[in-house]
Amino acid sequence: MTAERRLACLAEDLAPGTAMTVPGDPPIAVYHTEEGEFLATADTCTHEKWSLGSDGDLEGCEVTCPLHMARFDIRTGEALCFPATVALQTYKVEIDGGKVFVVG
């Protein structure tokens, strides 16, 4: 069985320190850290249904949900503080020909 490979964007279109949501089922948040790394997690906060890719605040390798300030490590998905207690699913990211793909 082959994992689905979803095109997120062109690497040059996602500035360092920003994030975006890749629509689909499920939606996926793609992050471009200030250090140049591309990472991806489930887009929806595990505490409340809120988009992290569209509305979250990315700082380093942590994203904060603006609804109740839950924080997650985007490398591991780990919930870092209350009110979130459930980790985010993480996804593999591949850069191919200047395009960012999410695998999973």
Side-chain angles (χ1 to χ4, degrees):
M1 189 163 119
T2 305
E4 178 186 356
R5 191 173 185 219
R6 247 196 259 188
L7 175 63
C9 63
L10 296 177
E12 65 189 27
D13 290 343
L14 190 59
T18 64
M20 64 172 289
T21 298
V22 180
D25 186 24
I28 297 173
V30 176
Y31 312 93
H32 188 181
T33 68
E34 290 288 346
E35 292 75 33
E37 190 173 11
F38 286 90
L39 299 162
T41 68
D43 181 60
T44 306
C45 178
T46 59
H47 169 249
E48 293 269 340
K49 305 294 185 217
W50 204 265
S51 172
L52 298 173
S54 298
D55 300 321
D57 181 29
L58 180 62
E59 187 172 324
C61 287
E62 294 181 9
V63 65
T64 302
C65 179
L67 189 59
H68 293 115
M69 307 314 276
R71 285 182 325 177
F72 300 90
D73 184 322
I74 60 172
R75 295 167 297 189
T76 64
E78 178 185 4
L80 299 173
C81 69
F82 290 110
T85 58
V86 176
L88 295 168
Q89 180 175 347
T90 59
Y91 297 89
K92 181 179 176 183
V93 176
E94 296 176 348
I95 309 299
D96 184 5
K99 296 176 183 174
V100 179
F101 292 92
V102 177
V103 180

